[in-house]
């Protein structure tokens, strides 16, 4: 595995970021606002992909003198309520499709979308294709402020997985933890109902055998509470479990925030409580980044939460720039090649 101390890739040209300006609950107002905020970062060009008139109207609110930003026209968007594959065929000029095609054509280095995750996944798989040895893309990354360097794979993109697919996801997550988060030789674990090798359903038990044979730093099974125990750096499960886990966490955070606000109101100001909650849930000791890579596709794609406001959009753009700077796409290809050389990628069990 490559050293986390490897310098960022040296580039003679700016990193070109294509932003799906129509993606997200508050587009294009918040997407454009976030894009403008991100323009303060040097060495970057922004391509705002969206319906030209409303996107340009939002841009006209800002002084962009000396800023490298361009509107790339598209038609419409793909919503969360639409079937991704059907929409891909029926809306060939939708913003997420046009943005992904810019990456495919070499006119952008990375695409960012806060829109439908399903649409981003389907479009990336169809337009960019999958890395060798992979059948499906995967979403993962840190999701808990109390465990900011613990990566969960998969967060919901694949609800049914074979052991070989979980192994590939683990390899991708290990590269991300190593290169993006700076974790040396990341410890990889399977999420199960007990730490013993015999615990878990058939999927987990069969995966355990495969993980043991891999070159990854596999430390066995962990349980749900171990996200906070520092027993593993990359925790792997299928997207069915992962999505339930992340949504439970979001709901718990919201409920806990409301409860604590009432309990602490006599002792703290609203601003002080907001600061405490932000520190509790946000990742720490990391650059201002949000959103996460769509792992496994042959191109750099960053997806973010649809409810993101301008700061979340700017954070996702920062994530995209770092993803390209660090050469994560190339590192992940190398890691999957290592899995293939070990003869494990094709095991279906």
């Amino acid at each position: 595995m490559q050293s986390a101390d490897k310098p960022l890739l040296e580039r003679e040209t700016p990193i070109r970021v294509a932003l799906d300006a129509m993606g997200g609950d508050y587009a294009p107002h918040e997407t454009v606002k976030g894009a403008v905020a991100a323009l303060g970062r040097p060495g970057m060009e922004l391509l705002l992909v969206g319906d030209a008139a409303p996107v340009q109207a939002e841009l006209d609110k800002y002084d962009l003198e000396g800023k490298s930003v361009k509107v790339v026209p598209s038609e419409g968007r793909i919503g969360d309520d639409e079937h991704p594959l059907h929409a891909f065929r029926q809306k060939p000029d939708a913003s997420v499709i046009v943005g992904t095609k810019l990456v495919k054509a070499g006119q952008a280095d990375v695409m960012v979308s806060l829109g439908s995750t399903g649409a981003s996944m389907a479009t990336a798989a169809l337009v960019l294709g999958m890395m060798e040895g992979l059948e499906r893309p995967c979403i993962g990354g840190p999701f808990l402020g109390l465990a900011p360097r613990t990566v969960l794979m998969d967060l919901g993109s694949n609800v049914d997985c074979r052991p070989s697919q979980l192994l590939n996801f683990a390899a991708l997550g290990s590269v991300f933890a190593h290169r993006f988060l700076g974790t040396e030789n990341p410890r990889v674990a399977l999420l199960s109902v007990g730490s013993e090798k015999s615990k878990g359903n058939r999927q987990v038990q069969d995966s355990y055998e495969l993980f043991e044979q891999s070159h990854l730093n596999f430390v066995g099974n962990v349980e749900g509470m171990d996200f906070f125990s520092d027993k593993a750096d990359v925790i792997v499960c299928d997207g069915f479990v992962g999505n339930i886990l992340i949504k439970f966490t979001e709901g718990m955070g919201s409920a806990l925030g409301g409860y604590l606000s009432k309990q602490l109101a006599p002792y703290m100001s609203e601003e002080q409580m907001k600061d405490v909650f932000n520190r509790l849930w946000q990742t720490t000791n990391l650059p201002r980044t949000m959103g996460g890579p769509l792992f496994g596709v042959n191109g750099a794609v960053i997806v973010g939460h649809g409810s993101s406001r301008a700061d979340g959009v700017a954070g996702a753009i920062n994530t995209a720039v770092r993803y390209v700077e660090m050469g994560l796409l190339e590192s992940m290809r190398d890691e999957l090649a290592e899995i293939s050389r070990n003869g494990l990628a094709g095991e279906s069990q």
Side-chain angles (χ1 to χ4, degrees):
M1 186 173 289
Q2 301 179 34
S3 169
D5 296 327
K6 179 181 176 182
L8 301 181
L9 297 181
E10 295 183 4
R11 296 178 59 95
E12 297 180 357
T13 57
I15 293 174
R16 300 160 299 174
V17 180
L19 174 67
D20 174 10
M22 308 307 293
D25 300 343
Y26 306 105
H29 174 73
E30 293 292 326
T31 49
V32 173
K33 183 178 179 181
V36 171
L39 280 170
R41 182 176 185 134
M44 179 182 69
E45 293 180 359
L46 265 179
L47 306 172
L48 300 186
V49 184
D51 297 353
V55 172
Q56 188 61 56
E58 291 295 331
L59 272 180
D60 289 342
K61 298 176 182 179
Y62 304 95
D63 179 8
L64 299 174
E65 185 176 355
K67 305 292 186 182
S68 183
V69 57
K70 175 184 176 183
V71 177
V72 178
S74 62
E75 295 182 12
R77 53 175 287 179
I78 298 177
D80 289 321
D81 58 342
E82 298 181 80
H83 190 285
L85 291 177
H86 294 167
F88 181 85
R89 299 186 185 97
Q90 295 168 1
K91 298 182 176 181
D93 296 318
S95 55
V96 67
I97 298 176
V98 173
T100 306
K101 286 182 176 179
L102 290 175
V103 175
K104 177 67 174 180
Q107 297 174 329
D109 299 299
V110 58
M111 200 277 291
V112 177
S113 179
L114 290 303
S116 165
T117 300
S120 294
M121 288 177 54
T123 300
L126 291 169
V127 173
L128 301 173
M130 300 300 301
M131 292 181 183
E132 187 174 354
L134 289 185
E135 301 172 15
R136 308 173 185 174
C138 174
I139 300 173
F143 75 106
L144 282 168
L146 293 173
R149 293 184 177 275
T150 301
V151 174
L152 178 65
M153 306 283 287
D154 175 12
L155 287 174
S157 50
N158 301 281
V159 296
D160 292 302
C161 296
R162 297 192 303 275
S164 59
Q165 292 170 326
L166 292 182
L167 179 63
N168 283 330
F169 297 162
L172 296 173
S174 186
V175 170
F176 180 80
H178 183 64
R179 298 282 289 121
F180 197 89
L181 301 178
T183 304
E184 191 65 30
N185 197 21
R187 298 160 298 170
V188 177
L190 283 162
L191 184 61
S192 187
V193 295
S195 60
E196 298 85 357
K197 181 177 179 177
S198 60
K199 290 294 181 70
N201 58 16
R202 175 67 183 273
Q203 177 198 59
V204 171
Q205 292 182 26
D206 288 349
S207 296
Y208 196 109
E209 299 284 348
L210 199 60
F211 276 51
E212 278 190 314
Q213 300 170 43
S214 76
H215 70 289
L216 300 176
N217 183 16
F218 180 54
V219 296
N221 289 339
V222 295
E223 300 176 77
M225 65 274 203
D226 291 321
F227 279 92
F228 312 100
S229 67
D230 193 35
K231 289 185 178 179
D233 304 300
V234 179
I235 298 177
V236 183
C237 62
D238 63 32
F240 182 83
V241 173
N243 195 254
I244 291 174
L245 182 62
I246 191 173
K247 288 180 178 176
F248 175 82
T249 304
E250 290 175 348
M252 175 69 79
S254 177
L256 183 61
Y259 174 79
L260 291 179
S261 293
K262 293 179 181 179
Q263 298 300 313
L264 296 177
Y267 313 104
M268 301 175 66
S269 69
E270 183 175 343
E271 194 64 30
Q272 287 174 320
M273 284 190 286
K274 183 178 179 180
D275 181 61
V276 169
F277 296 147
N278 284 340
R279 290 175 183 273
L280 179 65
W281 293 109
Q282 288 179 0
T283 54
T284 57
N285 301 320
L286 294 173
R288 179 57 173 158
T289 55
M290 296 182 75
L294 186 56
F295 294 98
V297 294
N298 268 319
V301 177
I302 304 297
V303 294
H305 206 295
S307 63
S308 297
R309 296 284 186 171
D311 63 337
V313 176
I317 292 172
N318 286 336
T319 298
V321 172
R322 290 193 74 223
Y323 186 89
V324 176
E325 286 177 337
M326 291 181 155
L328 280 174
L329 200 64
E330 294 76 14
S331 297
M332 290 178 183
R333 288 195 185 105
D334 291 344
E335 192 71 3
L336 289 174
E338 181 68 21
I339 291 284
S340 180
R341 282 193 294 271
N342 287 345
L344 300 174
E347 298 287 343
S348 59
Q349 295 191 27

